[in-house]
């Protein structure tokens, strides 16, 4: 995909990025070798060729399988550094990074191993690339709520490094209400709240209504099915609850990028943002996702800049950083 100079240089904020979903096949081989793990493939190309997802569960199978090479703090550091290196030339300025602690603790890798590795990369990325970042800890919704609660309590010593909590993995049969007590406790502990409402999942609208009214999230990951209920669209527009949409990811797990829904929702006053979700699996980082919307949606550069500003608005960055990022985007557009 050819990235336009405007898209490439636009200062960007990423709010929906699973760090485990940035594991490129080349690094997978490197880590497998370092850790003495035999992969069921001979080359990175074979790994890529095996990615034929057509829904969320088929993607999740490959995603969890890929993580088995992540064992040490250095592995998590290398994973995150590879990500930062990839997006620095795309002018990524700030990222809130999802990580899935239970996908590691359930394999015997400690929370401390995961967090210290990621944290080291975050500090280095700030110095080396000028990219600011924060962590959002996601619970796996297909595991029991008790395990999520135990993970939440285990995370408390690391609170200064964790901005908020989210909910991901297989949504079908695992509604938000299952985690109401966990999210209430997370809020009481000072964590900010977000949750996945994946695209075109059975009962999606009910889950979206529940995350707004029952859980009280600050934003929703994906969530574009909300267009089916104009009353709910009005509620999130009024309350400034944003949606983190992932156009290229959508093409793999549903029937299209949902670019038209992004345009409709923006028109209705919703703060929608563009994000990459699991770029190593879906084949597009932040700039490719902006470009996809530019190409398919035939939108103006001004509209793309608005989406970048939406991400600043609904991000959980400190006010000073938000003001700086807004200034960078405004200045960029004025000079373009
Ligand atoms: N885990 C990683 N990416 C995810 C997604 N898009 N939806 C649900 N769980 C995920
Ligand atoms: Zn996601």
């Amino acid at each position: 995909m050819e990235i336009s100079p405007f898209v490439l240089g636009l200062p960007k904020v990423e709010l929906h990025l699973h760090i485990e979903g940035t594991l490129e096949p080349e690094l997978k081989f490197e880590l497998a070798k370092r850790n003495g793990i035999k992969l069921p493939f001979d080359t990175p190309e074979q790994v890529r060729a095996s990615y034929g997802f057509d829904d969320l569960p088929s993607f999740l199978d490959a995603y969890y399988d890929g993580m088995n090479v992540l064992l040490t703090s250095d592995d998590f550091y290398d994973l995150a550094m590879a990500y930062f290196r990839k997006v620095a030339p795309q002018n990524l300025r700030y990222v809130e990074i999802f990580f899935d602690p239970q996908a590691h603790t359930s394999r015997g890798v400690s929370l401390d191993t995961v967090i210290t590795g990621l944290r080291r990369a975050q500090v280095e990325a700030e110095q080396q690339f000028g990219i600011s970042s924060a962590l959002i800890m996601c619970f796996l919704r297909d595991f029991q709520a008790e395990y999520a609660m135990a993970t939440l309590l285990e995370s408390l010593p690391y609170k200064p490094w964790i901005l908020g909590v989210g909910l991901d993995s297989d949504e079908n049969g695992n509604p938000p209400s299952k985690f109401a007590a966990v999210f209430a406790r997370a809020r009481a502990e000072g964590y900010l709240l977000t949750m996945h409402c994946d695209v075109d999942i059975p009962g999606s609208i009910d889950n979206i209504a529940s995350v707004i009214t029952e859980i009280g999230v600050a934003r929703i990951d994906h969530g574009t099915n909300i267009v089916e209920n104009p009353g709910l669209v009005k509620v999130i527009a009024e309350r400034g609850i944003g949606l983190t949409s992932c156009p290229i990811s959508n093409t793999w797990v549903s029937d299209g990028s949902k670019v038209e829904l992004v345009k409709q929702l923006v028109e209705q006053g919703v703060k929608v943002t563009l994000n990459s979700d699991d770029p190593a699996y879906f084949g597009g980082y932040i700039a490719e996702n902006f470009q996809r919307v530019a190409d398919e949606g035939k939108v103006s550069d001004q509209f793309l800049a608005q989406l970048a500003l939406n991400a600043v608005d609904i991000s959980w960055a400190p006010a000073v950083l938000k003001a700086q990022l807004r200034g960078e985007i405004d200045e960029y557009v004025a000079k373009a």
Side-chain angles (χ1 to χ4, degrees), residues 16 18 56 59-60 63 100 168-169 196 198 222 249 277-278:
H16 187 151
H18 302 265
L56 184 60
F59 155 69
L60 290 170
Y63 173 75
D100 286 336
D168 62 6
S169 205
H196 276 57
D198 267 280
H222 301 295
S249 162
D277 209 0
D278 302 283

Side-chain angles (χ1 to χ4, degrees), residues 2 15 17 36 60 72 130 151 184 229 234 237 251 254 278 307 314:
E2 196 168 328
L15 303 178
L17 183 278
L60 290 170
T72 68
T151 302
N229 186 324
K234 203 158 165 270
T251 66
S254 72
D278 302 283
L307 295 174
I314 69 163

Side-chain angles (χ1 to χ4, degrees), residues 6 10-15 272-274 290 301-315 325-326 329 333:
F6 179 85
L10 179 66
K12 300 174 200 71
V13 165
E14 165 83 83
L15 303 178
V272 187
T273 67
L274 301 182
F290 270 82
D301 288 350
Q302 198 67 41
F303 184 83
L304 298 176
Q306 184 55 54
L307 295 174
L309 284 167
N310 285 351
V312 177
D313 289 346
I314 69 163
S315 81
L325 295 168
R326 277 191 201 103
I329 295 169
V333 171

Side-chain angles (χ1 to χ4, degrees), residues 31 34-35 69-80:
L31 298 181
R34 185 155 95 192
N35 291 323
V69 300
L70 296 165
L71 293 180
T72 68
S73 179
D74 280 351
D75 297 343
F76 287 91
Y77 165 83
D78 287 342
L79 174 71

Side-chain angles (χ1 to χ4, degrees), residues 134-336:
L135 292 178
I136 299 175
M137 178 174 70
C138 288
F139 305 112
L140 301 188
R141 67 198 308 160
D142 40 3
F143 285 173
Q144 292 185 338
E146 289 76 11
Y147 187 8
M149 185 65 94
T151 302
L152 174 65
L153 299 180
E154 197 186 348
S155 78
L156 297 180
Y158 304 94
K159 224 196 262 182
W161 293 350
I162 303 172
L163 198 48
V165 298
L167 187 70
D168 62 6
S169 205
D170 195 355
E171 186 169 335
N172 201 354
N174 298 296
S177 55
K178 178 177 168 184
F179 296 92
V182 177
F183 276 68
R185 177 66 187 265
R187 181 199 301 282
E189 295 292 347
Y191 287 122
L192 297 165
L193 310 183
T194 186
M195 271 194 187
H196 276 57
C197 291
D198 267 280
V199 286
D200 298 343
I201 299 292
S204 183
I205 277 291
D206 291 342
N207 289 353
I208 290 170
S210 169
V211 301
I212 297 165
T213 57
E214 187 182 358
I215 308 294
V217 293
R219 60 185 193 232
I220 303 172
D221 300 308
H222 301 295
T224 43
N225 284 82
I226 199 166
V227 289
E228 296 158 22
N229 186 324
L232 283 178
V233 172
K234 203 158 165 270
V235 170
I236 64 166
E238 281 169 6
R239 294 192 196 165
I241 297 173
L243 304 181
T244 63
S245 190
C246 308
I248 296 176
S249 162
N250 290 343
T251 66
W252 288 83
V253 299
S254 72
D255 61 359
S257 69
K258 310 292 181 187
V259 169
E260 290 308 316
L261 298 188
V262 169
K263 288 165 67 175
Q264 271 180 44
L265 286 161
V266 169
E267 219 161 83
Q268 294 170 50
V270 178
K271 300 254 183 209
V272 187
T273 67
L274 301 182
N275 307 271
S276 58
D277 209 0
D278 302 283
Y281 290 88
F282 300 134
Y285 286 77
I286 188 79
E288 284 81 6
N289 277 279
F290 270 82
Q291 192 64 48
R292 173 80 190 217
V293 171
D295 293 344
E296 192 184 324
K298 308 263 180 295
V299 298
S300 65
D301 288 350
Q302 198 67 41
F303 184 83
L304 298 176
Q306 184 55 54
L307 295 174
L309 284 167
N310 285 351
V312 177
D313 289 346
I314 69 163
S315 81
W316 298 335
V320 171
L321 179 54
K322 282 189 173 197
Q324 184 194 321
L325 295 168
R326 277 191 201 103
E328 285 183 27
I329 295 169
D330 287 345
E331 191 183 339
Y332 182 79
V333 171
K335 281 191 184 152

